[in-house]
Amino acid sequence: MPNYYLPSSDPKLAVWATNYKSQISVHATTLHLTPEEVVADQEYCDAITDVIQKVVSLKAQLKAAVKDRNHVLDTKGRKLRARISRYKTEENYTEAIGSSLGIVTPKRSKNPENYYAEISTRISGGQVQICFIKKLADGLNLYYRKKNSDEWQLVSRITKSPFIHEVELETIGQPEKLEYLAYGVIDDVEIGKPSTIVQIVFGG
């Protein structure tokens, strides 16, 4: 492959482009490069580092937005569900009203106690993606932990596959081993058995 020397990860690529930009003028005479060619190469490097910085900035914004979404769902969403539960106890409440509001719980065709969450992981576009099928559940509670950690952390309630997990590396450019598991969720309650623990190496 002609571009095998280009790093595949954004952090390493940014370092590479910065170094190339500073060094190309040093070797310009030896390589018989014109000043215009040197400037062009340096502009290409600037374009690479600029777009990587843009990606970094957008990832930070996405992470903040996802965190805000999860907070809203955990607080406002919980309060809304509590109010809806109360509405369903009103004597004038009917299934027709519930259907109109979209608050009728679907009938389950399987036994929730036997539910078994199934997930898989992959790296795509420099991101960790969690693939799954909800089956009879409303969604999955996704948990993860890093290597050598015994504590599972809740990532998010996930309802659409694939789910992108924004992972913060302890050291940029240093790969880390991550483990994931999930439980099915119906009406905000975890059901059945946990998924098999799946592993993936991310970063570098």
Side-chain angles (χ1 to χ4, degrees):
M1 295 178 63
N3 296 327
Y4 66 91
Y5 48 81
L6 290 177
S8 58
S9 69
D10 284 350
K12 290 184 177 180
L13 181 56
V15 172
W16 179 91
T18 300
N19 177 74
Y20 184 98
K21 178 183 177 180
S22 67
Q23 292 298 311
I24 189 62
S25 59
V26 175
H27 303 289
T29 301
T30 303
L31 297 175
H32 304 293
L33 303 180
T34 66
E36 290 76 17
E37 288 175 320
V38 171
V39 170
D41 278 9
Q42 291 175 331
E43 290 178 347
Y44 298 152
C45 290
D46 285 339
I48 291 173
T49 54
D50 287 348
V51 76
I52 289 176
Q53 183 56 47
K54 183 178 180 180
V55 169
V56 170
S57 176
L58 289 174
K59 282 184 176 180
Q61 293 179 43
L62 175 60
K63 181 179 179 181
V66 170
K67 183 178 180 180
D68 185 51
R69 179 204 65 186
N70 292 342
H71 175 70
V72 169
L73 292 178
D74 288 341
T75 55
K76 306 299 184 183
R78 184 182 296 112
K79 291 180 179 179
L80 179 59
R81 289 191 295 272
R83 291 170 66 88
I84 289 172
S85 295
R86 179 171 62 82
Y87 300 157
K88 288 184 174 182
T89 65
E90 295 291 334
E91 63 176 328
N92 292 327
Y93 172 82
T94 65
E95 287 293 306
I97 292 175
S99 178
S100 175
L101 293 173
I103 59 175
V104 177
T105 303
K107 293 182 179 180
R108 311 295 177 175
S109 58
K110 298 181 180 180
N111 189 345
E113 285 75 19
N114 295 329
Y115 184 90
Y116 180 79
E118 296 182 40
I119 62 173
S120 62
T121 57
R122 68 187 183 192
I123 302 295
S124 179
Q127 298 174 314
V128 177
Q129 295 189 354
I130 312 299
C131 301
F132 62 96
I133 300 175
K134 289 191 299 182
K135 295 183 283 188
L136 71 128
D138 298 329
L140 304 181
N141 277 354
L142 178 68
Y143 296 84
Y144 95 113
R145 67 184 179 187
K146 296 184 178 181
K147 183 180 179 181
N148 300 324
S149 173
D150 294 327
E151 183 178 354
W152 290 98
Q153 300 180 50
L154 177 63
V155 177
S156 178
R157 173 77 51 81
I158 57 178
T159 57
K160 293 184 179 180
S161 180
F163 171 80
I164 297 175
H165 182 203
E166 295 288 337
V167 181
E168 287 188 4
L169 296 175
E170 296 291 339
T171 304
I172 295 179
Q174 181 174 325
E176 291 188 28
K177 182 179 179 181
L178 308 174
E179 296 182 328
Y180 293 87
L181 67 75
Y183 283 88
V185 176
I186 292 179
D187 294 335
D188 297 327
V189 177
E190 291 185 351
I191 61 170
K193 303 175 183 178
S195 69
T196 299
I197 296 174
V198 295
Q199 302 178 343
I200 196 167
V201 176
F202 174 70

